[in-house]
Amino acid sequence: DDGLGKGNGILIHENGHGVFEENQILENASFGIEVSRGGDPTVRNNTIKDCLDSGIYLHDSAVGVYEFNDISRNKTANIEVRTGADPRVRKNKIHDGLERGIYIREDGRGYFEGNEISASIAAGVEIKKGAQPILFNNKIIRGRDSGVFVHDGGLGQLEENEITDNTLNGVVIRTGGNPEFKKNKIFANNKDGVYCHDSGLGVFQENDIYGNFLNGVEVEGLVSNPTLRKNTIHDNMVAG
């Protein structure tokens, strides 16, 4: 008894597969779907909501394809990825998370494309502790905190995403976070477009950063050291 599967809607592990389509996965005492130890399902067109832990939880080298799902109102995160898991997550509606929208940590990976991540109470996307996802062409919008939060050595590549209308900052990087942002639109956030502080790093290239309520980019502290190259930073309300 290793604690797997207690109170889950669906558990897929030990290289399990399967196709899961058009199910209602609701109000489970733990995870909506837990995938671990090489599990490799296809999860498509499901509703996953109101679970007492993450909606989809992938760990220990889990993979799989997760697309066209409606994932909402789950605790911890709507989708959580850690410990070498590397899913393909495409064209989902990920909204109204009771904490994070997507949470990638502890060497989690994953390819996230074409998702709409909205109205999370905590960060829309949080990346930490060596996690290295790829996020391409997602909308990270209308969060009640910051859009993207990279910290504690989090990495990752974020390209051609739209990060807008978040209650705090568009992007926050701190404590050794070192992501790459390329060709994103970071605009109309209610504080800074990008806030790098407390030893934050990162490379920003060819982004369009505009119309944020405070600064386009704010760098604070002696050891915060991002690199910005060929960005367009304009029409912000305070600076940049």
Side-chain angles (χ1 to χ4, degrees):
D1 184 358
D2 57 10
L4 282 172
K6 292 183 176 179
N8 294 334
I10 297 170
L11 172 64
I12 305 148
H13 63 122
E14 313 300 342
N15 301 307
H17 289 66
V19 177
F20 301 83
E21 294 185 322
E22 298 185 10
N23 301 286
Q24 301 282 320
I25 303 166
L26 315 174
E27 300 179 0
N28 293 287
S30 188
F31 307 106
I33 300 175
E34 181 178 1
V35 189
S36 75
R37 300 176 186 166
D40 187 9
T42 297
V43 177
R44 182 183 297 125
N45 283 319
N46 301 281
T47 298
I48 305 165
K49 68 179 183 179
D50 295 328
C51 297
L52 295 184
D53 210 311
S54 295
I56 299 176
Y57 175 45
L58 301 113
H59 62 104
D60 293 309
S61 303
V63 290
V65 175
Y66 306 81
E67 59 187 10
F68 303 107
N69 301 288
D70 189 305
I71 308 168
S72 68
R73 299 202 306 256
N74 301 289
K75 291 193 72 175
T76 306
N78 280 325
I79 299 177
E80 181 178 0
V81 181
R82 60 186 287 265
T83 54
D86 192 10
R88 299 293 177 264
V89 180
R90 305 187 187 102
K91 299 190 177 186
N92 301 279
K93 299 283 189 184
I94 301 166
H95 61 99
D96 295 289
L98 299 182
E99 294 181 42
R100 308 157 186 88
I102 296 174
Y103 185 24
I104 311 112
R105 61 189 177 102
E106 295 170 7
D107 302 309
R109 301 181 72 87
Y111 180 78
F112 299 81
E113 180 180 359
N115 303 285
E116 183 176 290
I117 304 152
S118 64
S120 304
I121 289 177
V125 176
E126 182 175 345
I127 303 168
K128 64 186 279 191
K129 292 187 176 177
Q132 195 165 359
I134 297 171
L135 286 90
F136 178 76
N137 193 32
N138 301 281
K139 292 185 176 181
I140 304 168
I141 59 175
R142 297 193 302 277
R144 289 178 247 179
D145 200 284
S146 293
V148 179
F149 179 31
V150 187
H151 63 114
D152 290 347
L155 303 168
Q157 300 173 30
L158 295 92
E159 185 167 348
E160 295 189 20
N161 301 285
E162 182 178 296
I163 304 168
T164 185
D165 198 23
N166 294 289
T167 298
L168 299 181
N169 305 284
V171 176
V172 176
I173 304 174
R174 62 189 295 269
T175 55
N178 193 16
E180 300 178 17
F181 281 77
K182 185 175 182 180
K183 296 184 179 178
N184 300 280
K185 292 184 177 180
I186 304 170
F187 66 99
N189 297 287
N190 288 306
K191 294 186 78 174
D192 295 327
V194 176
Y195 179 37
C196 183
H197 70 114
D198 191 15
S199 307
L201 302 168
V203 177
F204 291 81
Q205 184 168 312
E206 299 179 72
N207 301 284
D208 194 2
I209 304 171
Y210 65 95
N212 298 288
F213 191 75
L214 295 181
N215 306 288
V217 177
E218 180 178 354
V219 180
E220 180 181 359
L222 182 64
V223 289
S224 296
N225 192 23
T227 298
L228 283 82
R229 183 182 301 116
K230 296 184 179 178
N231 301 282
T232 303
I233 305 169
H234 62 101
D235 294 310
N236 299 286
M237 302 306 173
V238 175

